[in-house]
Amino acid sequence: MSGGPGGGETPAPGTRGAQRPSRAQRRVLAPLALAQFICSFAGSNMNVMINDISEDLDTTVQGVQIAITVFLLVMAALMIPGGKLTDRYGRKRCLLVGLVVYGVGALLSAAAPGLGVLILGNSILEGIGTALLIPPVYILTTLLFTDLTSRARAFGVIMALGGIGAAAGPLIGGLIASALSWRAAFVFQALVIAVIVVLSRHIEDPLPPDPARPFDTTGAVLSAAGLILVVMGILAADDNVWLMIGLLALGALVLLWFFRSIRAKERAGREPLLSTALFRNRTSNLGLVTQNVQWLLLMGSSFTVATYLQVVRGYDAVQTGVIFTAATLGLLVSSLAAERLAQRRTQRTLIMTGFVATVVGIVVLITLASSSTTPWALAPGLLLIGLGLGVMLTPSVNVVQSSFPEEQQGEISGLSRSVSNLGSSLGTAVAGTILVSGLTSGAYAAAMTALAAIGLGGLAAAVLLPRKPPPTTPPGPAPGRTGAP
């Protein structure tokens, strides 16, 4: 909301004096945040173990990269159906099933005798587990934390651990692989999953499952096929531009078929996989754009800087991870301050501030990296990037999730996570395409400049967000009650 001559903004109504989270709410935060951490960790730590895995399993680097790609495809294909299944089988049940499937996949990967078993464990089972457990994390957080401030605090903790998992994954994975072996990194994942399962006993699902609720199988197949084609097109960007264009075009056509299918089901009075009403909410749409760009910036900058440090500067995975500590620290500090920030500033202001800080951080990073050979010259830029991303990740999620009532949380959560995953894939693809485009000098600076330009696009979307916050989701009924609010 517009402030006085000083240009400040007043916080959202109801944020000051909001009740502190109850003891029960605080107890559920630990498993939910750890679940986001381990999934983000799994998505980034394998990049520093590719050579070790390929040598141990007597395969090629390309074979291990295929395993990583298949994981991304499985996760992208199943995230929206995974969110929808929570309505039918319950959020806690889907969370636990996802954790068990993921844990089995991690153990299978740790014991893999060859590439085929690694793909089954890491790519298939961990991908399915992630798609089942991540939507409940966001749905349960939205339902259990019903006012803006406590929800901001909860999402702040979750996004902080998610960001740490993504940013510090290479360091943690590198340390484990160097001290023990790459297999121990998967055992570590399984141990964390076991801890989450134990902690999850405190979680109570605020809404009863509805086993009779229909599931749109046709929509699930079409959405999965469309997203797989889009992600394949994104991943092909640095290999074959024409293949990329063909896959993206085909993916767009399948997704158009999917949208026509859900519209036809709605007109016929049947429940589709996603409601078209999700795409008529301007605030949510803009929030989804900011989410996509934020994860694009996070994964794109991580990939570019990590590659630069290892290829140009000659650092190993552990040294690279240590330098990334600056970004991790910035992200952790700003994410954990989400509750306090939400009390003082609107979500729109926080998202705009985050984009500005991130773009400035990229400029500082490029400037200092080109003028100094010391590795710590990268720290100020990485710190600013981490601070900026931490400031805006939480409010973007909060804006989207809070724009819909309880009965649509399964749908919007799956859609939101799919959009974020596409951003992660795009970030690596954009950076990778520029790095292999034949630029002999300045390729890394060009990649970071492109990310900064995309960040300005995210800032433009944030500026278009309404000055007044969207109405928050009504409090959920007490456990055991039935019926929509």
Side-chain angles (χ1 to χ4, degrees):
M1 300 177 194
S2 300
E9 293 190 2
T10 56
T15 56
R16 292 194 187 277
Q19 293 182 350
R20 300 288 298 176
S22 67
R23 184 168 178 265
Q25 288 176 321
R26 289 194 297 269
R27 292 172 74 184
V28 304
L29 257 185
L32 297 178
L34 279 174
Q36 178 62 76
F37 165 80
I38 201 62
C39 290
S40 298
F41 171 82
S44 65
N45 85 110
M46 267 190 73
N47 292 325
V48 299
M49 301 187 296
I50 290 177
N51 288 331
D52 291 342
I53 295 174
S54 61
E55 291 175 5
D56 192 11
L57 298 184
D58 194 24
T59 184
T60 63
V61 169
Q62 289 74 20
V64 181
Q65 289 174 332
I66 288 173
I68 297 173
T69 301
V70 173
F71 170 79
L72 293 173
L73 294 176
V74 171
M75 190 169 58
L78 299 180
M79 195 66 74
I80 292 177
K84 190 68 173 180
L85 286 173
T86 61
D87 296 325
R88 186 169 185 170
Y89 298 109
R91 287 131 293 273
K92 182 177 179 179
R93 184 179 299 173
C94 286
L95 174 68
L96 292 175
V97 171
L99 289 169
V100 171
V101 172
Y102 188 107
V104 171
L107 290 175
L108 196 60
S109 300
L115 181 61
V117 177
L118 180 68
I119 290 176
L120 174 61
N122 175 252
S123 309
I124 306 297
L125 293 181
E126 287 194 20
I128 293 172
T130 300
L132 285 174
L133 72 89
I134 284 298
V137 168
Y138 289 83
I139 300 168
L140 287 168
T141 304
T142 304
L143 296 179
L144 293 172
F145 297 84
T146 55
D147 66 86
L148 180 63
T149 306
S150 65
R151 189 178 293 166
R153 175 184 181 272
F155 276 131
V157 174
I158 291 170
M159 299 312 296
L161 285 188
I164 290 171
L171 172 61
I172 300 172
L175 288 171
I176 295 174
S178 299
L180 300 171
S181 79
W182 64 269
R183 297 179 186 275
F186 286 104
V187 175
F188 168 75
Q189 292 181 43
L191 291 174
V192 175
I193 290 293
V195 171
I196 298 171
V197 171
V198 172
L199 293 176
S200 296
R201 70 183 188 276
H202 298 300
I203 297 176
E204 292 186 7
D205 199 332
L207 293 175
D210 183 5
R213 190 158 184 173
F215 182 77
D216 181 7
T217 304
T218 302
V221 171
L222 289 175
S223 69
L227 288 170
I228 286 175
L229 289 168
V230 169
V231 173
M232 286 177 63
I234 293 171
L235 296 175
D238 56 353
D239 294 323
N240 188 318
V241 174
W242 290 110
L243 177 61
M244 175 197 74
I245 293 173
L247 290 171
L248 290 176
L250 187 57
L253 288 174
V254 174
L255 289 177
L256 178 61
W257 183 8
F258 166 63
F259 285 118
R260 290 177 64 87
S261 168
I262 63 177
R263 288 185 63 186
K265 285 183 173 63
E266 284 185 329
R267 283 195 293 265
R270 293 181 290 161
E271 183 176 349
L273 186 70
L274 288 178
S275 169
T276 55
L278 296 179
F279 304 97
R280 292 197 292 266
N281 188 309
R282 181 174 178 270
T283 299
S284 172
N285 290 341
L286 291 170
L288 289 172
V289 171
T290 63
Q291 278 188 34
N292 181 274
V293 175
Q294 288 160 15
W295 283 98
L296 186 153
L297 292 175
L298 174 59
M299 300 308 294
S301 58
S302 296
F303 175 81
T304 304
V305 176
T307 306
Y308 170 78
L309 291 174
Q310 294 179 77
V311 174
V312 178
R313 297 288 181 91
Y315 301 141
D316 61 25
V318 175
Q319 292 171 317
T320 300
V322 170
I323 296 171
F324 263 106
T325 303
T328 305
L329 179 63
L331 199 149
L332 177 62
V333 169
S334 53
S335 293
L336 293 181
E339 179 185 21
R340 187 176 302 127
L341 293 171
Q343 290 177 329
R344 299 179 179 179
R345 293 290 183 267
T346 62
Q347 308 290 286
R348 173 178 179 268
T349 298
L350 295 176
I351 298 171
M352 291 168 57
T353 302
F355 275 116
V356 170
T358 302
V359 172
V360 171
I362 292 175
V363 173
V364 171
L365 184 71
I366 295 172
T367 303
L368 294 182
S370 61
S371 61
S372 175
T373 57
T374 174
W376 297 111
L378 281 68
L382 288 172
L383 179 64
L384 276 173
I385 292 172
L387 286 170
L389 289 168
V391 164
M392 60 181 170
L393 282 173
T394 296
S396 284
V397 171
N398 213 346
V399 162
V400 173
Q401 298 289 148
S402 299
S403 296
F404 296 95
E406 290 172 345
E407 59 268 22
Q408 290 184 298
Q409 285 299 311
E411 298 171 73
I412 191 58
S413 181
L415 177 63
S416 173
R417 295 306 91 208
S418 290
V419 168
S420 296
N421 288 332
L422 287 175
S424 298
S425 302
L426 274 170
T428 304
V430 168
T433 301
I434 295 174
L435 293 182
V436 301
S437 62
L439 292 173
T440 55
S441 62
Y444 295 94
M448 294 302 293
T449 301
L451 294 175
I454 295 172
L456 292 176
L459 175 61
V463 170
L464 294 174
L465 283 167
R467 294 180 180 272
K468 293 182 179 181
T472 57
T473 303
R481 288 190 195 170
T482 58

